[in-house]
Each structure stands twice: as C-alpha cells, then as structure tokens.
Amino acid sequence: MSIPIALVGVGKIACDQHMPTIAASAHFHLAGAVSSHASDLSVPVRGDLTSLKSAVPDLAAIAVCTPPVDRLRLLKEAFSLGLHVLMEKPPAKTLAEAEMFAPAARNAGRTLLQSWHSRCAAAVEPMRRWLVGQTVRHVTINWLEDVRVWHPGQEWIWSPGVGVFDPGINALSILTEILPSDLSVRESLLSIPANRSAPIAASLMIEASAGHDVSVQFSFDQRGPQSWTIDIETATERATLLDGGSHWAIGGVEQPLEDDRPEYARLYDQFADLIANGESDVDLRPFRLVADAFFLGETKQAPNFLWDS
Amino acid sequence: MSIPIALVGVGKIACDQHMPTIAASAHFHLAGAVSSHASDLSVPVRGDLTSLKSAVPDLAAIAVCTPPVDRLRLLKEAFSLGLHVLMEKPPAKTLAEAEMFAPAARNAGRTLLQSWHSRCAAAVEPMRRWLVGQTVRHVTINWLEDVRVWHPGQEWIWSPGVGVFDPGINALSILTEILPSDLSVRESLLSIPANRSAPIAASLMIEASAGHDVSVQFSFDQRGPQSWTIDIETATERATLLDGGSHWAIGGVEQPLEDDRPEYARLYDQFADLIANGESDVDLRPFRLVADAFFLGETKQAPNFLWDS
C-alpha cells in the first residue's frame, strides 16, 4: 500500500533527491507540497501544512526539506495532523530545540525519522558490518570540497553554526554509524573568514571510548581534486570509505557492493519500515559533535572569503 | 544515619563550600579525599578513587570538585565502586560526554546529582512557586562581574567553552528552574579578547515556548557595582531575583525568606533525599543553552585582556 506523502519546502534538495526518489518508490507517492512560491507541480500546493491536509485528507506523511528554522513548531503541527515525518539534516537551529523532537514523537505516537542521508550511502552498511570485531587503531577523515562549486552563491551556508559543518556533519553521521564507540570532541580549531560568521575550515581531534583517536579535516576551500574519505586503520588492515561512502576499499582494493542504489532510495525504505513498525529514529549524536566542535573551538581568522576568487 | 562521603579534588570550591557544608550536615560526614597534592586533612587522602575506597571500605558517596576533565571516566569508576556521586558544575568538557552520565547512573543503579548550586540559592524556589500561574511578558538577565576580582589569576577560566559562561551558566540554571517554558537560543554575540580563547562578554536572545523572550547580558569586565539579577515582567508585576538568587523583590519590595540557609546546605539536603529515594537528577538544559550560544554565536574581537589593567 503506497503512502501519500507531501514535501514541505521545494528547494534544491527536494528537487534533486526527494522528488525523483518518491517518484521511483514502491512505498510512497507524492500527494502534495507546502511552498510559499508558485509551483508547477501536478499535486496540490498550499502555503501551510494545515491547509494542505484539508486539501489532501488522506495525506499520511511529510518530508521536511526547508532550512532548519522553526522545525519544532512544524513538527508539532505535523503530529497534531496525525502525520509521520521525515526530517532533512541538520535537525534544527539549536540543540535545545532538537532535543525536544523525540519526546514530541513519542507523545504523538507518530514516526519521526531524523534523517542522515550519508548513512544510507551504499558502502556504509558493508563497512559497519566489516568493522564488527575489528580493533580500530586510528581513523582519519578528510572532507575537502570547494564551496564555490557545490553551493554557488548560497549565502545561507555562512550562517552561524553552519559553514564547512554543512558537509562535515555528513562525515560525522557516518562515523557515529560505523563505530560502536562513544565519541567525544577533545580539540577543535575553526578558521573563520574575516568577512563571514562561520568556519571555512575545521580541524578536530575526537576521542573514541574504544581508546583510539579520530583526526578530522574539513575544508570548504579545496581546489583541484575533491575528497570525502574516511580511512580506518585496524590492527591488521586499512579500510577506506570513498566518495562520501558510495564506495569502499580494503588494503587499497575496491570492494564489491551488493546494493548500489542511491542514498535516498535506501533512506525512504528506512522511513517506510519505521512507519510499518510504529518506530522512530532520532539520533542526535552527529549534531552534538558539531555543537561540541563550536563549544570547544579555538577560532582563528582566515582571509576574506570571495565567491569569485 | 550519616553517609560517609569523600571529596574528589580539594581546590577552592571544595574548601570554600563543600567542606564547611559537609562539616555542618546532618546527612553526611567527610570520610576521605582524592587529591594529587599533599593535604593536612584529618581523613585518608589518596591519589585515586579506587585506592581511597580500599582505605575507607564504608565510603558511600563522593562530591566531584575537580575541573570538568575526564568526568565520565571518573563517574564510571565511582559507580563500579558502588558510590553515589554529586558532580559540581559544569558537567563535562563536552555535551557528548555529559549525555552519557544519566545512562551510566541508570545502569549502575546509583544516585547521580548533576548539581547546579545556584538553583539552591534561597530565593529561587520562592520565585519559582510565585511564577506558577503568572503570565510572563519578558525576562532580563544581567550577570555582570569583574573576573579580576572573582577569579584572580585563574588562567583556566579562559579555556575554550568557558570564559564568562562560567558564571553565566549559573544564571541559566536558575532560568531553566523557575520558568516552565522550553527555552531556545535565537541569537548570540560573543566578545573574545584578541589574546584569549573564550568570551569576556556575551549577549543572548533566548526564546521561550510560552511566547516571550529572555534578554541576556553576561560580562566579565564589570567595574564598580557588580550585578547578578534576573528581572521578570509579568502581565501585572515586576519580580526580581537579586544577588545571584539569594534575595528577591516584587514591585521593588524585598520579600521575606522562610529558609535563608546558604546554597550548599540545600544542595547537600537534595543529594541526601535523592540517595534515600534511589533517584538521580541530571538536567543538562543549562549546559545545552551554553553550547547553543557558542554554536550560533557571532564572534567579535575584543581588546586584549590583562589581569592587572
């Protein structure tokens, strides 16, 4: 039985990922959208969720694709209308707000998936399984990209608390998924351009309860080859997640993948499973690591950032 | 029956507050201490907790008065020895670490009091009770002190994540205690001296779910009269917590106090009650607000800080 779902916010991520995934999904079909600007969608579009639910009474779920502003209010509105919710990352503008998500879902008896799409990359689950029983010695994360290429002219990316942590939190969502350890930021160095309010680069040292460290380099200023890798040295091997988790290698040899569908196909399958089982998945660990990186961060000033430099 | 308790860390707060409070307590008596430097205490002193427990087998509780470093490790050691724990503020170096406290206490079946001593100030509970049923319109916090007077030469106060939030978190612990609202930081401006890594001043705008704002001013650079006040405008009155919560006034008229004992006497009574009832109290909301203030913070550079200026 296909679940009628609506998009809340019809921007880049909704168009690039959510719409094609829903269109191809066996579990969901697009039944409406909430958007403040005119739209040429073939489904009802309204300016707010309550109006949309009136127009589409059998609406059962939403995918929230707006920037993380007033998310708790939106979540409570959705639950009061009896809807299940898939929430895009990052969860909220503040930790205090995000910590109220899970209790709200429990009280409402609805499903909330606080999604981390990178966890659904094809090689993440194979890597997680492979690591079970391995002794990890060290982890190195390099998440190095050019913001001018990936977020051209998107000034919101420089909001406080965002910057290079917008892609960086994807790496941390994978890290918390594949390692069984408790993780804690020990050192954080943030480089903030003189003319912006968020970091263009960050170096973190994260301590794992299993006794090893995780060295993290995030950059938004990477020219030439881009890099989204997580390197794991175990007692006997060196395993690597490549290209944001879509491929992996052991000892430099690329490993086959049983399931090479795109991230969002797997994400929507997970959402359908949670709804079927009456469960939620709200894991705020990646968000807490980012908050701790700011909390502990030593800041240094970087040169002015220019979009066209 | 008096509970044998040990101090872990014998620094300024242990000597100024914990020792005299334990000495005067009907519920506790000092049975030992963990300290790395020699001590002239009349009880056994050891370099680590496990050694102390061997020397004092009937030890039942500890008060942790060390800086917030490696707190989770210490907590787990204490629980493995069967001890109840009173933990000084701030809880830990990172949120990720602090979030593991409550599960650790539950698993161990021991009492953990993550203490916020300012909540035990004499006028806080009367103010909380008075506010029940009031409609709050606005709250203004002014927590303005001279770090040169209150923390002379204590360079640790300038560690990342600390600075003016060391006293500031006391105000936030009172705020979260007396208001029934959910609170979320909306704006944060941090002034960081050019030669230090932590803020000397902070301005916050906090939004309460009840619909009003909380304006917050923290300063470590206050010459002349010092100020630790929380002003609450309700629909009909203006109520004020004065001197860090030790006095209060309504409409400018100071109110009587039923119980004017010092903060720490009340704190240790609370710890005894929790132990007697097999409960814990681990409220991380003040810590999350501080983390959010850093997370969302716009930073501006302040002039060099000098201890002797």
Side-chain angles (χ1 to χ4, degrees), chain B residues 193-214:
Chain B
N195 63 345
R196 291 293 189 282
S197 299
I200 191 167
S203 299
L204 313 181
M205 203 282 276
I206 297 176
E207 198 181 66
S209 57
H212 64 85
D213 290 341
V214 180

Side-chain angles (χ1 to χ4, degrees), chain A residues 1 39 62 86 106 122 162 165 178 194 196 214 225 229 238 280:
Chain A
M1 202 187 65
S39 162
I62 58 171
L86 185 161
R106 263 196 307 276
V162 189
F165 285 94
I178 61 177
R196 291 293 190 283
V214 180
T229 61
R238 181 191 194 97
S280 286

